[in-house]
Amino acid sequence: MLTIQLTQFRYKDNMIISKIGESNNVFSLRTPHIINLLYLCKNISAFLEINIMNLNERSIEDYFSQLDINEIKSSFPYEIDYIARYKEISGTLYRDVHPLVEKGANILDGVCLNNHGERHIKTVIKRASQLVQTTGFEMTPYELYILLMGIHLHDVGNIRGRAHHEEKISSVILDIEKYISSITFVDDVEKELIIDIAKAHGGSYDNLLLLNHEDRILDQKVHAKYIAAIIRLADELSDDSGRAHTLLLHNGTIPEDAQIYHLYSP
């Protein structure tokens, strides 16, 4: 279970830098909206049926991948095997896309981003797993798929440059489908919902607030705003020491204007 304790605030470049603790680990958050996000997750779940999700200490990725499709086919649109679909898509992303995310931004912008690859995705999944249990709302298998896809896609826009990277997700998906492998969506409605949820992790806070509390996608109920809030908060909570390029930071290799990405990954 994730326990969040705000212990310190300081300011850097108009961003609130707060410290939180979980066991013996310390994480940093770079957002003026962290308290709003915490309340948003709680308040959204308060409107939903309360049934605490028990992952039995597994991540949502492991939990989802281990579901028996024969028992839950009716939970997915057209009874499609979304578990096999996720395994195929995530395998492509882990292998061929996530290693390029920070490289794209570094090449185009001349920066040195902290880790935005597989390790970051795994950490966001871990934090999201803790949050979905903490907020007290049991997600459907289809919502778990939407959540996992949103996590995988939330940073891919960096491949086309850091600035406004959340707005570049669609174009990067087109590049992936053209040059690497198909990321299969059942239809454009599902695709656009996942992209909108992924986009809400960054940029204007309105990207999150404009999402609906509840959508009906392919005859399945999806709580889009809740899922997006989980991703945005999980992404903030992922700023642990695993994201910083510590050696490059301390030997002076990282340019001064890029050091902020690493200094606040404690």
Side-chain angles (χ1 to χ4, degrees), residues 126-154:
K126 178 181 178 181
R127 301 294 169 223
S129 303
Q130 295 166 319
L131 286 167
V132 298
Q133 294 181 97
T134 303
T135 54
F137 170 59
E138 186 167 22
M139 303 176 72
T140 67
Y142 186 52
E143 287 178 313
L144 285 176
Y145 173 80
I146 299 291
L147 172 59
L148 286 165
M149 287 297 296
I151 291 172
H152 272 285
L153 295 174
H154 80 279

Side-chain angles (χ1 to χ4, degrees), residues 154-165:
H154 80 279
D155 266 341
V156 297
N158 282 286
I159 291 174
R160 284 179 168 260
R162 178 66 179 167
H164 308 294
H165 65 278

